Amino acid sequence: LVTNGCCTGEVAAQVIPLMDAINVDLKVFSADGYKKLGGDFDAVKAFISMAVADPGVHLELTTLIVPGLNDSAEMMEAEASWIASLDPGIPLHVTRFFPRHKMQSAEPTDLGLLHELADVASRHLSNVFLGNC
């Protein structure tokens, strides 16, 4: 299952046990960021927590680094620390953004910044991978 993780606890409880592997797009690590995107930060964190608690599910997370939205070292520090509190072995994919569709005026994620944020995440997590490089 590839998902944004925005669903009710009831739906998550029905879906998660049916899955072998789940990849959740953790879009931004703040309630305000999710509000801007029309999502629910608490629902996503709850979904991730439920998925990691199921021993039959392989869980991975992906964060697309969008300039001006979720590209601070402080936000990555908070994200990686929270993920590590669940399980420091959860794989995190830190991926590069490229301008497309409704965000054509944005710049691609700077490669140096992407590496810096992956290094921040690696202080807490044992499996951090770069993507879209």
Side-chain angles (χ1 to χ4, degrees):
L1 173 67
V2 176
T3 179
N4 65 13
C6 276
C7 66
T8 65
E10 294 81 19
V11 169
Q14 291 177 6
V15 170
I16 290 171
L18 301 175
M19 298 297 116
D20 293 320
I22 299 174
N23 185 296
V24 179
D25 278 333
L26 184 53
K27 299 192 180 297
V28 59
F29 203 73
S30 75
D32 287 341
Y34 264 93
K35 187 174 182 180
K36 284 180 189 177
L37 297 173
D40 183 336
F41 184 47
D42 291 331
V44 174
K45 289 195 309 182
F47 183 90
I48 292 168
S49 296
M50 290 176 72
V52 77
D54 188 318
V57 172
H58 174 78
L59 175 68
E60 299 194 11
L61 305 176
T62 299
T63 298
L64 179 69
I65 304 300
V66 180
L69 175 68
N70 62 351
D71 60 350
S72 75
E74 295 79 15
M75 186 173 287
M76 181 54 72
E77 179 77 27
E79 177 178 328
S81 178
W82 178 77
I83 296 167
S85 75
L86 300 174
D87 179 350
I90 295 172
L92 174 63
H93 301 267
V94 180
T95 59
R96 187 176 188 205
F97 166 83
F98 289 96
R100 297 289 183 267
H101 192 51
K102 293 184 179 183
M103 293 189 71
Q104 291 183 14
S105 63
E107 293 294 319
T109 309
D110 177 77
L111 282 173
L113 175 62
L114 196 69
H115 284 272
E116 176 187 325
L117 296 177
D119 288 345
V120 169
S122 293
R123 293 183 209 145
H124 300 278
L125 302 168
S126 56
N127 298 298
V128 178
F129 305 97
L130 293 173
N132 294 344
C133 295

